[in-house]
Amino acid sequence: MYLRSYTPVAILSTICGTTAQLVNPTNETFGNVFNFWSKTTDGWDLTRGNSTSAITLPMPHPAGNVTIQPASSALVIIDMQNFFLHPDLGGDPLGRALVPTTIDMIHAFRANGMKVFWTNWGLTDFDLMSMPPAFFRDFSSDGTSGSSLGSDMGMIQGNISVGRKLMRGSWNAQPFGDLFDEQVGGVANGTDFYFNKNRLSGMWGSSTPMQTFLQDNMITTLFFGGVNIDQCVWGTLLDAYYKGYDVVLVDDISATTSPAAATGMVDFNAALNGWRANSSDILPALM
């Protein structure tokens, strides 16, 4: 029996009935026929050939504007939870200050047919069984394991059961303030989707619930905000970049309790891996 030898690109070309070229003649396309960006006169086209209802968003100089396909784009909100933000839990006031602008972004993305992802800590007892020691140490509030992940956080305001620390379904793990109503309403209406995570990154590992959803729905362009910008936001953005997604960091819906140098590092590298912008850059184009 004689078996012909095919390269992966040749196999894909045969299956798809097209000729897969890795480099286009004018060198203005980056990638290949299945996953590519195209240079434009003022920036980048990320629609991968599907320009239906495309939107061009201005990006700060010198990155260049980006043209996106709404059906394949999403806003990712990370860890805007009571545990990190509520004042009675010592939450970050800088994070709480992001809420109104974050809600404006949520409404604008929904209005343009783009999905909103809520990516939050939401542990199970199985997650605790496989959690590395370093994470238990990092989340201990008094230096002992008894106050770390999964521990009962007691009551606040006399009648609110805070629940077990960052466990799925607990009050401390739900979105903070008005964001909770936005999340519940968005999920009920089918515009928003909620994904639990068990590490800093919502894209950690070979596959996560969010990554599976992205693949099933052919979503390729992701806008990131939340807390902390240098930890869970950065970790998720970086893993998404490693896995081939377009990444845009939205600075003014992101914050951290870390020193300013930490944000500087994220801003510098996010601009190399994708784009940095503010809601003030994006919202006028979505209106």
Side-chain angles (χ1 to χ4, degrees):
M1 179 182 295
Y2 176 71
L3 297 177
R4 296 182 63 185
S5 176
Y6 290 97
T7 65
V9 169
I11 293 171
L12 287 171
S13 299
T14 302
I15 294 173
C16 297
T18 185
T19 301
Q21 295 179 341
L22 294 177
V23 180
N24 68 310
T26 61
N27 293 324
E28 295 298 308
T29 297
F30 290 70
N32 57 69
V33 72
F34 305 104
N35 184 20
F36 62 91
W37 296 351
S38 300
K39 290 193 72 174
T40 64
T41 57
D42 61 353
W44 296 89
D45 182 343
L46 311 184
T47 65
R48 294 160 172 82
N50 181 8
S51 60
T52 304
S53 303
I55 302 173
T56 298
L57 302 178
M59 294 284 131
H61 182 78
N65 300 338
V66 296
T67 299
I68 63 169
Q69 166 52 245
S72 60
S73 304
L75 174 64
V76 184
I77 302 167
I78 300 171
D79 289 358
M80 296 288 281
Q81 298 167 272
N82 284 321
F83 179 80
F84 299 104
L85 300 183
H86 199 282
D88 288 348
L89 299 180
D92 179 22
L94 295 177
R96 291 196 295 274
L98 304 175
V99 171
T101 307
T102 301
I103 291 175
D104 288 343
M105 284 284 286
I106 290 169
H107 291 172
F109 268 67
R110 289 174 182 162
N112 284 273
M114 292 185 279
K115 294 176 173 59
V116 177
F117 294 165
W118 303 82
T119 309
N120 293 336
W121 282 96
L123 302 174
T124 65
D125 284 313
F126 179 80
D127 291 327
L128 295 180
M129 292 172 59
S130 59
M131 190 70 64
F135 283 80
F136 285 106
R137 182 194 64 182
D138 291 347
F139 282 91
S140 171
S141 58
D142 64 3
T144 71
S145 59
S147 65
S148 188
L149 297 170
S151 63
D152 189 342
M153 297 184 67
M155 305 284 290
I156 61 172
Q157 299 180 13
N159 62 351
I160 296 177
S161 174
V162 180
R164 296 171 66 197
K165 185 177 288 187
L166 292 178
M167 297 297 285
R168 194 173 300 184
S170 67
W171 179 88
N172 74 88
Q174 74 182 34
F176 168 74
D178 291 340
L179 293 174
F180 179 65
D181 291 334
E182 290 289 341
Q183 178 256 309
V184 171
V187 170
N189 291 331
T191 59
D192 298 19
F193 301 85
Y194 193 96
F195 301 98
N196 293 292
K197 64 184 179 72
N198 59 10
R199 295 293 191 275
L200 274 68
S201 169
M203 294 284 280
W204 170 83
S206 60
S207 183
T208 67
M210 186 171 81
Q211 183 181 351
T212 299
F213 187 93
L214 293 173
Q215 293 169 344
D216 289 347
N217 290 273
M218 302 183 69
I219 295 173
T220 54
T221 304
L222 303 174
F223 295 76
F224 292 89
V227 295
N228 280 312
I229 190 175
D230 57 315
Q231 296 169 20
C232 294
V233 176
W234 173 238
T236 307
L237 182 151
L238 194 60
D239 278 343
Y241 164 70
Y242 288 155
K243 293 180 178 184
Y245 295 91
D246 316 331
V247 294
V248 183
L249 176 67
V250 186
D251 273 315
D252 63 349
I253 61 169
S254 305
T256 185
T257 55
S258 303
T263 297
M265 181 281 295
V266 172
D267 284 340
F268 177 81
N269 285 288
L272 296 177
N273 299 339
W275 290 266
R276 282 180 55 208
N278 285 314
S279 64
S280 56
D281 302 308
I282 296 170
L283 286 173
L286 297 182
M287 298 297 187

